[in-house]
Amino acid sequence: GAGVSQSPRYKVAKRGQDVALRCDPISGHVSLFWYQQALGQGPEFLTYFQNEAQLDKSGLPSDRFFAERPEGSVSTLKIQRTQQEDSAVYLCASSFRQGGSPLHFGNGTRLTVT
Amino acid sequence: GIQVEQSPPDLILQEGANSTLRCNFSDSVNNLQWFHQNPWGQLINLFYIPSGTKQNGRLSATTVATERYSLLYISSSQTTDSGVYFCAVPFRNTDKLIFGTGTRLQVFP
């Protein structure tokens, strides 16, 4: 596709529910990143993939957060047993190759946990 | 970890004015990127600039890696330039980008 596509655009979950957020990167992009952005803050790194390999998950806040990219293209970020502090915008980004190339972001998924 | 500080935190301009945004970082890096987040939340990559100077229309950026700073110049600002500008650098030269504190720009007609 022309850009990074994320769905859903908005998600409201009741505390304790599980959610799954989808990211479709730019075709041919090897690297895929997930970031979390709280209101008024800059994006904070969660995890990243090179093709299907998850190379760094040091930013995932807890073991309730899980990300996968099984075929090296589409990625899913799953949050189990959501809590209010999980409310944020979740941004997906992709880049053409590892080792430094411009990062391109999707529009994000705004998650609200009530 | 690496510290990335941006200044000023807030900037208010009238249409047509010029401005300079600054990004300071605490460790040596092998690349730096500038982003614009518009009022609808979309993050747009403006520059990938490890060193030197690049220009794109009314925007230009300069990175002086040896002195650990980068500057973003906006000339003849327009209301559509409003939003938050972030710089981002890699953590220990990995692919993991660390974002700066941001500069919020408001341009009024």
Side-chain angles (χ1 to χ4, degrees), chain B residues 22-104:
Chain B
R22 185 176 180 105
C23 171
N24 292 330
F25 42 95
S26 59
D27 294 339
S28 59
V29 299
N30 59 7
N31 76 75
L32 182 142
Q33 302 188 41
W34 281 99
F35 296 87
H36 174 222
Q37 188 162 40
N38 65 26
W40 297 271
Q42 175 68 39
L43 266 166
I44 305 295
N45 192 302
L46 299 176
F47 293 102
Y48 174 89
I49 182 165
S51 63
T53 297
K54 289 187 177 179
Q55 180 146 13
N56 185 1
R58 295 181 296 103
L59 303 182
S60 65
T62 296
T63 295
V64 184
T66 52
E67 297 186 21
R68 301 183 184 174
Y69 74 90
S70 183
L71 302 174
L72 178 68
Y73 306 95
I74 304 174
S75 64
S76 305
S77 57
Q78 300 177 359
T79 55
T80 51
D81 295 331
S82 296
V84 183
Y85 290 80
F86 291 103
C87 63
V89 298
F91 176 74
R92 293 182 184 168
N93 294 330
T94 65
D95 284 319
K96 170 177 161 179
L97 282 187
I98 304 299
F99 281 72
T101 49
T103 292
R104 181 174 301 276

